[in-house]
Amino acid sequence: MYTEDTIAAIATPPGIGGVGIIRVSGTRCFEIVSTLFQAKGTVPLEKRPNRTIQYGHIIDPQKGNKILDEVLVLIMRGPQSFTAEDVIEIQCHGGIVVVREILKVLLRQGARLAEPGEFTKRAFLNGRIDLTQAEAIIDIIEAKSEQSLSVAVKQLDGTLAKLIRTIREDLIALIAHLEVAIDYPEEDIEELTMEETADKLRPILVQIDTLLATANRGRLLRDGIVTAIVGRPNAGKSSLMNALLRENRAIVTDVPGTTRDSIEEAITIEGIPVRLIDTAGIRETEDIVEKIGVDRAKEYLESAQIVVCVIDASKPLTPEEEAILHSTSGKNTIVFLNKADKGAVVTDSMIAQYGTFTVVATISAANGEGMDILAEAVKQLVYGGTVQNESTALLSNVRHITLMEQAKSQLQTSLETIEAGMPVDFVVTDMREAWERLGDITGDSLRESMVDELFSRFCLGK
């Protein structure tokens, strides 16, 4: 990518809307837009005040200055812009054709079509934001709930980066002291003993552990909780799904095996995103299509973070239900005894014989019961009974979590090296590796190939 190029892209989603925005950034920004923009006044665009909006028309010079649309042009000069370069945003009417035509003319006049995420990438490369803030932007766009949005916004304001940089500063100060003592033994520099080095490393490890302790909560808030509804055919799974969604999403009939494939829907419970999956009824079957659905149901049963096991309490337990109960014992499993109003054959005490479960409750899925119980399980999984602290930075990104764990591992190795009485050079090597991994999180020591890969996840115009 050539950062000296002037780039352009449509910044609004495809489709018809009230307003369409085309964003232009780079050194030739004013030059290119000026060839297309006709304003009412005579002052050239590049001489107009910063952070102002100009009214006029976009024309096509190749078609006799034909007017393409009536527009507003927003001027943002660098470095006080998102990319830290000169930026102009053209706000036109939100039709599909007009937005594309304006972009086409901009490209013809010398702009280059921006790559996915290139505007944000330029903001990063120009020092406007760090990598955690860049990744927070895509998390804001993809936020599934108010809570996941809150986590992303907290990352965007630099809270996480500040914490990581503080840890890096403490670490590099310790590394520098040790390296100076190694490289200049003749100088009158106070040497740190290995015991003193270990004493300074332990608080750094505590800071890393504190951040890693937030990882599970942050990941769940960012990605959502996979909740699988499992059970035998006709137990009431689809009725429960519809009740939780408050709409008839899944087909409900008295015919066993109606749901042959998994149905997934996203809902928000207590501000937490939940991926709700209605699975095929688990039973032995010769039907090839139904068998595929049953196999998928078993996979979800193993991978889900919460399992909702629906039992038809009006009928004796089947071998399949017994197998489900055995396999989900000790996990985050809610057992709903459904249809008990028809005469309970299965009771709480009978379920207890098959293992330990988070909740065993009698409900009527047809009447919409069970949401309160599921909501409590969701909150317990995310917050674990602790009070939510809005000011705390959370690790929610898998890349960040992995790198933080690697940094912790390197520092633990440093302590082990000290305890083993190894030379100080080995200790410093592991400490520097930890410092590098922390720098990979913020982008302070990130490789260019990794930067390209990260920004390729962004949409065009962002």
Side-chain angles (χ1 to χ4, degrees):
M1 180 179 67
Y2 303 97
T3 56
E4 295 301 316
D5 290 357
T6 296
I7 57 174
I10 300 169
T12 41
I16 298 174
V19 178
I21 298 175
I22 302 95
R23 179 177 290 162
V24 188
S25 178
T27 55
R28 296 184 60 211
C29 179
F30 284 91
E31 174 192 339
I32 291 171
V33 176
S34 293
T35 63
L36 312 175
F37 180 62
Q38 283 187 343
K40 293 298 182 184
T42 58
V43 179
L45 195 62
E46 63 270 16
K47 293 185 178 180
R48 298 195 177 219
N50 188 28
R51 298 183 179 180
T52 59
I53 296 177
Q54 311 297 322
Y55 167 76
H57 295 88
I58 292 293
I59 60 169
D60 187 343
Q62 287 194 0
K63 294 183 179 179
N65 291 341
K66 173 186 175 182
I67 293 176
L68 296 179
D69 196 14
E70 180 183 38
V71 301
L72 295 175
V73 169
L74 175 60
I75 297 171
M76 295 171 282
R77 287 189 173 85
Q80 296 175 328
S81 69
F82 177 65
T83 61
E85 302 171 335
D86 288 342
V87 173
I88 290 179
E89 286 189 356
I90 302 170
Q91 301 181 7
C92 62
H93 292 95
I96 298 172
V97 176
V98 65
V99 173
R100 288 179 179 173
E101 283 300 310
I102 294 174
L103 176 63
K104 189 188 300 182
V105 177
L106 283 166
L107 299 180
R108 191 193 303 147
Q109 294 300 106
R112 172 174 63 77
L113 182 64
E115 298 173 3
E118 189 168 354
F119 291 95
T120 308
K121 185 175 182 179
R122 288 190 175 203
F124 165 67
L125 293 175
N126 292 330
R128 171 72 173 73
I129 56 176
D130 63 46
L131 203 57
T132 62
Q133 291 172 304
E135 290 171 293
I137 291 171
I138 197 168
D139 287 345
I140 287 174
I141 294 170
E142 296 177 350
K144 303 176 180 69
S145 69
E146 290 183 13
Q147 295 283 22
S148 56
L149 175 61
S150 177
V151 171
V153 170
K154 185 58 60 179
Q155 185 170 311
L156 181 61
D157 70 11
T159 301
L160 177 61
K162 289 173 187 173
L163 289 172
I164 293 172
R165 287 199 172 102
T166 298
I167 295 172
R168 291 189 87 221
E169 287 169 6
D170 293 342
L171 196 54
I172 198 63
L174 184 55
I175 292 170
H177 197 119
L178 292 172
E179 287 186 336
V180 167
I182 295 170
D183 295 339
Y184 302 99
E186 70 282 357
E187 298 293 334
D188 187 19
I189 299 172
E190 181 183 357
E191 289 190 29
L192 286 175
T193 65
M194 286 296 93
E195 185 177 340
E196 289 172 330
T197 301
D199 288 342
K200 290 181 179 292
L201 274 179
R202 290 188 185 99
I204 296 174
L205 269 169
V206 170
Q207 293 179 69
I208 291 177
D209 279 332
T210 301
L211 273 174
L212 282 172
T214 70
N216 184 60
R217 182 188 306 179
R219 185 174 51 80
L220 292 175
L221 289 174
R222 178 179 185 265
D223 299 332
I225 299 172
V226 178
T227 302
I229 304 174
V230 300
R232 73 181 181 189
N234 214 28
K237 302 185 302 301
S238 296
S239 295
L240 179 63
M241 174 84 158
N242 290 339
L244 295 175
L245 294 173
R246 293 185 174 87
E247 63 174 281
N248 292 325
R249 174 65 178 86
I251 298 173
V252 178
T253 72
D254 292 330
V255 180
T258 301
T259 303
R260 293 191 168 201
D261 197 3
S262 301
I263 300 173
E264 180 173 340
E265 287 290 333
I267 63 172
T268 301
I269 298 177
E270 299 289 335
I272 302 164
V274 175
R275 291 170 53 199
L276 200 61
I277 302 166
D278 178 22
T279 64
I282 297 176
R283 67 173 176 178
E284 293 297 326
T285 178
E286 298 299 322
D287 187 304
I288 296 175
V289 177
E290 186 179 358
K291 188 176 186 303
I292 294 172
V294 171
D295 290 340
R296 287 184 179 176
K298 291 178 180 178
E299 290 173 4
Y300 278 119
L301 189 149
E302 293 297 325
S303 62
Q305 287 139 334
I306 294 179
V307 176
V308 177
C309 179
V310 182
I311 303 289
D312 183 349
S314 67
K315 298 177 181 178
L317 289 172
T318 64
E320 288 86 359
E321 287 175 319
E322 292 176 348
I324 292 172
L325 291 170
H326 280 305
S327 64
T328 58
S329 174
K331 298 181 179 180
N332 292 310
T333 304
I334 300 170
V335 180
F336 281 147
L337 302 180
N338 192 31
K339 304 182 183 180
D341 54 318
K342 296 182 178 180
V345 176
V346 181
T347 63
D348 297 12
S349 58
M350 293 173 62
I351 297 297
Q353 298 174 22
Y354 294 93
T356 304
F357 307 98
T358 305
V359 179
V360 179
T362 300
I363 66 160
S364 172
N367 295 334
E369 297 176 3
M371 174 57 90
D372 292 344
I373 296 169
L374 178 57
E376 190 58 40
V378 166
K379 286 194 296 183
Q380 185 64 30
L381 179 61
V382 175
Y383 300 119
T386 61
V387 178
Q388 183 184 3
N389 187 349
E390 292 288 349
S391 64
T392 302
L394 302 181
L395 281 178
S396 59
N397 187 301
V398 173
R399 188 184 73 86
H400 300 171
I401 295 168
T402 301
L403 289 168
M404 189 68 73
E405 288 174 340
Q406 291 174 357
K408 176 184 175 180
S409 177
Q410 292 291 345
L411 292 183
Q412 287 175 330
T413 302
S414 294
L415 285 175
E416 291 168 3
T417 303
I418 291 171
E419 292 170 1
M422 300 286 286
V424 67
D425 307 64
F426 292 94
V427 178
V428 170
T429 298
D430 290 322
M431 290 168 61
R432 185 166 286 280
E433 280 292 325
W435 183 77
E436 291 282 350
R437 297 293 77 75
L438 294 172
D440 284 348
I441 297 176
T442 58
D444 293 326
S445 59
L446 198 62
R447 294 169 295 280
E448 184 176 350
S449 59
M450 191 176 293
V451 172
D452 292 338
E453 182 182 344
L454 285 170
F455 285 99
S456 67
R457 297 168 48 214
F458 284 65
C459 55
L460 284 170
K462 196 60 187 169

